[in-house]
């Protein structure tokens, strides 16, 4: 073989061997940390910050009102029956704060679970008609039975929410229900039921003012009895929602993938809908339908935690009461000597905040 041919053959052989060799494992640059290092620790620290923010807002809710209470006297008013402001704190401020805490926790958790269940980022507790069912039941109880509050209102609200939830689940396909069909069925029933509530308000002139005040959403009528009535339902709904976090993560991958992972999509949906019914029914019965809390908070939290519901749900349970109680405090300050209902404040604040969030998310996309 000529010298030039042997040289060309050797060069080609060396090139082929160099291509077929396994490349060395890529090592990350020394100036960059390993991916996701300490991610769980940072999320846990974030939960601590959220809990601290909730404590601050709770203190402000007790201290701020028509009669401002200095922060130095807040603890004395909570513990000393002889304190000057003991009656104001224990009969008005503390029940109102506890109810806002429970309602915010319920609405935020239910909103996050609803968005995960329906795979709809615009879902909120009213999407399946749950709030509308509770409102329709209370309007009917007020018109036919004269029920204006107390335990009867809570049971009517829970019954209406449960009835509408079962109806939506049946219309949406039952065990074969899909997120799209559930959303469409809920939207249709939601519109019909709120039209019915408006008609009842026009027919019942005696209860018109009471229903109008309730449908706006307010914490002003809170008392110890109301807190005790709704606490068991919200506690059970919260435990059920948190227990469903891992199955909902599997369901987000699709029904087929969820089944391959051992999950049962139909049972997961039924359990989550039951939890949402308890949370939204109790919150709506206690303080009326409050908008934007269940819609806005999960979007804000998702920018911190991502879509993992094992972290998303606890964050929403802590930060949704921060938003609701903060809006209630703001309504008391802006409306002096009266107050603005918390439902009005969340509606006014929630709209611009949600538009800002949507615009920010859209511009951040490639």
């Amino acid at each position: 073989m000529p010298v030039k041919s042997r040289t060309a053959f050797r060069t080609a052989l060396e090139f082929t061997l160099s291509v077929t060799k396994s490349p060395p494992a890529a090592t990350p640059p020394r100036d960059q940390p390993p991916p996701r290092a300490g991610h769980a620790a940072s999320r846990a620290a974030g939960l601590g910050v959220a809990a601290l923010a909730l404590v601050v807002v709770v203190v402000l809710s007790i201290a701020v009102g028509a009669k401002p209470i200095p922060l130095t006297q807040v603890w004395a008013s909570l513990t000393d029956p002889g304190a000057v402001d003991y009656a104001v704190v224990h009969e008005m401020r503390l029940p109102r704060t506890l109810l806002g805490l429970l309602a915010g926790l319920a609405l935020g958790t239910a909103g996050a679970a609803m968005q995960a269940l329906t795979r709809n980022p615009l879902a909120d507790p009213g999407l399946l008609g749950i709030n509308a069912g509770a409102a329709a039941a209370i309007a009917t109880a007020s018109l036919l039975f004269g029920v204006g509050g107390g335990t009867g209102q809570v049971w009517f609200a829970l019954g209406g929410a449960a009835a509408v939830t079962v109806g939506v689940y049946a219309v949406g396909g039952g065990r074969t229900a899909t997120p799209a069909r559930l959303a469409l069925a809920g939207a249709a029933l939601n519109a019909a039921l709120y039209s019915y509530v408006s008609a009842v308000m026009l027919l019942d002139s005696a209860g018109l003012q009471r229903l109008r005040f309730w449908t706006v959403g307010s914490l002003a009528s809170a008392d110890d009895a109301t807190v005790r009535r709704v606490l068991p339902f919200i506690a059970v709904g919260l435990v059920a929602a948190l227990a469903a976090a891992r199955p909902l993560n599997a369901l987000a991958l699709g029904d087929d993938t969820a089944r391959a992972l051992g999950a049962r999509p139909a049972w997961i949906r039924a359990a989550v809908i039951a939890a949402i019914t308890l949370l939204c029914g109790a919150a709506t019965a206690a303080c009326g339908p409050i908008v934007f809390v269940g819609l806005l908070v999960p979007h804000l939290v998702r920018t911190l935690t991502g879509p993992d519901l094992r972290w998303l749900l606890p964050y929403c349970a802590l930060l949704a009461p921060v938003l609701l109680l903060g809006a209630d405090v703001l309504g008391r300050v802006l409306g002096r000597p009266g107050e603005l209902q918390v439902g009005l404040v969340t509606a006014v604040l929630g709209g611009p905040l949600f538009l800002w969030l949507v615009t920010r998310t859209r511009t951040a996309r490639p």
Side-chain angles (χ1 to χ4, degrees):
M1 182 180 294
V3 177
K4 291 184 178 180
S5 298
R6 288 198 303 270
T7 304
F9 177 78
R10 188 182 299 112
T11 303
L13 181 61
E14 291 174 354
F15 176 77
T16 302
L17 291 175
S18 66
V19 171
T20 55
K21 285 182 180 179
S22 298
T27 57
R30 293 183 178 179
D31 57 343
Q32 293 184 5
R36 302 178 66 85
H39 203 51
S42 63
R43 285 175 170 176
L47 279 177
V49 173
L52 180 60
L54 181 57
V55 171
V56 171
V57 175
V58 165
V59 173
L60 288 176
S61 179
I62 296 174
V64 177
K67 178 184 179 182
I69 301 175
L71 294 178
T72 55
Q73 297 181 16
V74 170
W75 180 253
S77 300
L78 287 172
T79 58
D80 183 9
V84 177
D85 299 310
Y86 182 84
V88 174
V89 168
H90 279 264
E91 294 178 10
M92 300 176 62
R93 301 281 179 84
L94 190 58
R96 182 173 186 152
T97 301
L98 291 176
L99 183 60
L101 178 65
L102 291 174
L105 180 151
L107 294 174
T109 306
M114 179 73 70
Q115 292 174 12
L117 179 68
T118 61
R119 302 175 202 165
N120 183 353
L122 296 179
D124 69 344
L127 180 67
L128 295 186
I130 297 174
N131 288 348
I138 290 177
T140 303
S142 176
L143 177 64
L144 299 181
F145 307 108
V147 176
T151 306
Q153 179 170 298
V154 175
W155 284 110
F156 271 102
L158 287 172
V164 171
T165 301
V166 172
V168 169
Y169 196 64
V171 173
R175 298 184 63 178
T176 60
T178 62
R181 294 179 67 179
L182 286 174
L184 289 174
L189 282 177
N190 190 64
L193 289 172
Y194 271 123
S195 298
Y196 167 76
V197 171
S198 299
V200 169
M201 290 174 64
L202 293 176
L203 292 174
D204 185 13
S205 58
L208 176 61
Q209 293 298 328
R210 182 177 64 252
L211 281 175
R212 179 184 297 170
F213 182 81
W214 179 83
T215 54
V216 169
S218 175
L219 301 175
S221 60
D223 54 21
D224 292 335
T226 303
V227 174
R228 287 194 298 268
R229 281 192 293 265
V230 301
L231 178 59
F233 301 104
I234 293 178
V236 173
L238 177 64
V239 171
L242 293 177
R246 189 181 295 272
L248 275 175
N249 280 339
L251 195 62
L253 301 175
D255 287 7
D256 294 336
T257 304
R259 292 189 187 95
L261 294 174
R264 303 176 68 179
W267 285 102
I268 294 171
R269 290 194 179 97
V272 173
I273 288 176
I276 293 171
T277 301
L278 288 173
L279 293 170
C280 295
T284 304
C287 50
I290 297 177
V291 298
F292 275 112
V293 175
L295 175 63
L296 181 62
V297 172
H299 279 278
L300 294 173
V301 171
R302 204 173 284 116
T303 61
L304 302 174
T305 66
D308 189 350
L309 289 162
R310 294 173 299 175
W311 292 99
L312 181 65
L313 291 177
Y315 265 89
C316 289
L318 289 175
L319 291 179
V322 173
L323 174 62
L324 185 59
L325 288 175
D328 187 45
V329 171
L330 185 62
R332 288 184 241 170
V333 172
L334 296 179
R336 285 178 178 173
E339 67 176 62
L340 297 175
Q341 284 80 13
V342 66
L344 295 175
V345 180
T346 57
V348 171
L349 294 178
L353 281 174
F354 189 70
L355 289 176
W356 169 81
L357 183 63
V358 170
T359 305
R360 178 176 175 270
T361 304
R362 179 168 37 181
T363 54
R365 291 177 180 173

